[in-house]
Amino acid sequence: AQRVTQPEKLLSVFKGAPVELKCNYSYSGSPELFWYVQYSRQRLQLLLRHISRESIKGFTADLNKGETSFHLKKPFAQEEDSAMYYCALGDSWGKLQFGAGTQVVVTP
Amino acid sequence: GAGVSQSPSNKVTEKGKDVELRCDPISGHTALYWYRQSLGQGLEFLIYFQGNSAPDKSGLPSDRFSAERTGGSVSTLTIQRTQQEDSAVYLCASSLAVGGGYNEQFFGPGTRLTVL
């Protein structure tokens, strides 16, 4: 069965410290993985997707098929990174299955 | 340009009443998705449209839920005989085409439904 697991509900880090949000998935086919972010009082929005292999706002995520993981990383957290982050698994029709989300709080 | 819009932004209803939630996708987007965000279940997929067709309704939680899309544009999610467990934020998203990959989904602000 498809599943997306984000083990951390809350991640509290200091400004300038590295941050890593964990995401593990189970999927029988070829996965399409995404990270979505929801800032306070804003809409859910795409942060990055694995096929683009891009860095957005300093964040990167590498798909590790062996470990079935898609962890999100940033070397130096900023206060504006405080938000709710969702890992999502997409199928060929674009249906997204979301993890439970990780609330990131960056303190100065 | 205009993003995805949803109305109403908030809806309070009594148990047993019917409600209609509306989604206006980005113009030209053929794919439209409905999700629900609730405290107990997190973010869950409900239904998607390719044009006016809904090939997959597997996410609808019960037969009290239905959705339609007309003119390849506006979509309405209807919940009949609402129950308290229907209380949630209902999110709509649209994308240029069906499929993942480079088809980014753009989300609306959501409709917060409260069933008393």
Side-chain angles (χ1 to χ4, degrees), chain B residues 53-75:
Chain B
S53 301
D56 185 351
K57 304 178 183 179
S58 63
L60 294 177
S62 77
D63 58 9
R64 297 185 294 104
F65 287 72
S66 63
E68 65 175 13
R69 189 179 184 195
T70 55
S73 181
V74 172
S75 176

Side-chain angles (χ1 to χ4, degrees), chain B residues 91-115:
Chain B
L91 295 174
C92 174
S94 70
S95 64
L96 271 172
V98 163
Y102 290 99
N103 284 317
E104 178 177 351
Q105 291 185 30
F106 294 85
F107 282 80
T111 293
R112 182 175 297 277
L113 175 66
T114 304
V115 182

Side-chain angles (χ1 to χ4, degrees), chain A residues 55-107:
Chain A
S55 174
I56 302 291
K57 300 184 179 182
F59 284 98
T60 58
D62 291 318
L63 177 60
N64 186 322
K65 291 187 178 181
E67 295 183 358
T68 59
S69 68
F70 188 56
H71 303 327
L72 183 68
K73 301 176 186 179
K74 184 169 182 177
F76 308 103
Q78 303 299 312
E79 289 180 66
E80 55 265 30
D81 296 329
S82 295
M84 190 73 168
Y85 292 80
Y86 294 96
C87 183
L89 177 64
D91 70 5
S92 56
W93 304 108
K95 294 185 300 178
L96 296 173
Q97 181 169 356
F98 291 89
T102 298
Q103 180 72 49
V104 172
V105 176
V106 182
T107 51

Side-chain angles (χ1 to χ4, degrees), chain B residues 5-16:
Chain B
S5 60
Q6 293 185 246
S7 60
S9 55
N10 275 287
K11 176 72 177 178
V12 180
T13 190
E14 293 179 348
K15 177 182 171 181

